[in-house]
Amino acid sequence: MSVDVFSAHFQDRQLRLDPARTALVVVDMINEFCKPGGKMVLPGYERLVAPQLALIEAARAAGATVIWVHDAHRPGMRREREWEKRTPHGLEKTWAVEVIEDLGARADEIHVIKRRYSAFFQTDLDLTLKDMQVDQLVICGVVTNICVRSTVHDAFFIGYDVVVPADACAATGPREHESSLYDIATHFGVVSDSAAVVAALREGVPIANMIAA
């Protein structure tokens, strides 16, 4: 992928993951966005399941932290901010906000509830990660250009190293997916794929950015 003149001024580096310092953050892989009957289903979520399962298995085997992020909203709010722009969705304590069964989320893993696009915005995710002594994040899920990207931005702003496996994320369209990954790779983190992240967790090999400086 060619790099524009402005974005070319980025510091390219390879990242080694230390499982003890790493968390896999799975964003919004919930029934509302993936399964028939959901109010905002993203077509083709099925292609994310295999790479995400590979990441989850590798993270668990390596002793990395696995975190599930649920977009969940309270009924009866006078001004639910997301609903000003999006169809009302994701009512808390309903089927809609449960992680899809395909991924085998565990109750004893960490679950974070968010009410805005970013998993960091006024949640306890940052505090949880600090208590886990985690400062490296692998972030995947839906959708690349909204909730994943917002979470990546906030993670970068507050000091985390971020890896985004492109094949474990999906956007509202191909253009949005590629554009978001490009910006993440040149401004906010490392963009790679699930195979490279699995190898990094299992074998300690470095992860290279998909865009070279």
Side-chain angles (χ1 to χ4, degrees), residues 14-18 195-208:
Q14 294 186 331
L15 180 64
R16 290 185 183 273
L17 296 179
D18 175 356
V197 174
V198 168
L201 289 169
R202 289 179 175 171
E203 305 162 23
V205 298
I207 302 173

Side-chain angles (χ1 to χ4, degrees), residues 5 18 34 40 46 49 68 79 82 91-92 94 103 107 129 148-149 153 162 210:
V5 173
D18 175 356
C34 298
M40 292 198 304
E46 297 89 350
V49 171
W68 304 91
R79 191 187 74 157
E82 278 194 17
L91 288 179
E92 65 179 2
T94 68
L103 297 179
L129 292 169
V148 171
R149 180 171 180 153
H153 287 183
V162 181
M210 74 174 194

Side-chain angles (χ1 to χ4, degrees), residues 51-68:
Q52 288 181 359
L53 283 174
L55 292 168
I56 294 162
E57 179 183 354
R60 287 171 175 165
T65 302
V66 178
I67 297 177
W68 304 91

Side-chain angles (χ1 to χ4, degrees), residues 23-43:
L24 171 64
V25 181
V26 184
V27 177
D28 288 351
M29 291 298 295
I30 58 175
N31 292 320
E32 192 79 291
F33 301 147
C34 298
K35 292 294 186 178
K39 292 182 178 177
M40 292 198 304
V41 174
L42 184 72

Side-chain angles (χ1 to χ4, degrees), residues 130-164:
K130 286 181 168 57
D131 284 351
M132 293 297 295
Q133 297 183 312
V134 162
D135 59 8
Q136 298 180 317
L137 305 181
V138 177
I139 300 176
C140 66
V142 297
V143 295
T144 316
N145 54 312
I146 303 172
C147 295
V148 171
R149 180 171 180 153
S150 296
T151 301
V152 168
H153 287 183
D154 282 353
F156 173 79
F157 296 153
I158 56 180
Y160 292 92
D161 288 328
V162 181
V163 180
V164 177

Side-chain angles (χ1 to χ4, degrees), residues 59-130:
R60 287 171 175 165
T65 302
V66 178
I67 297 177
W68 304 91
V69 178
H70 306 248
D71 190 59
H73 303 274
R74 294 175 180 169
M77 297 294 99
R78 292 191 176 93
R79 191 187 74 157
E80 167 54 62
R81 187 67 176 167
E82 278 194 17
W83 295 358
E84 291 191 351
K85 294 293 292 184
R86 309 295 299 153
T87 297
H89 62 277
L91 288 179
E92 65 179 2
K93 301 178 183 178
T94 68
W95 167 88
V97 302
E98 296 173 3
V99 176
I100 59 173
E101 291 184 358
D102 315 53
L103 297 179
R106 297 178 182 172
D108 62 350
E109 292 172 326
I110 296 170
H111 294 255
V112 172
I113 303 298
K114 69 179 178 67
R115 292 172 58 194
R116 298 293 187 266
Y117 300 137
S118 170
F120 283 98
F121 185 77
Q122 295 194 9
T123 72
D124 70 347
L125 179 56
D126 183 48
L127 177 62
T128 298
L129 292 169
K130 286 181 168 57

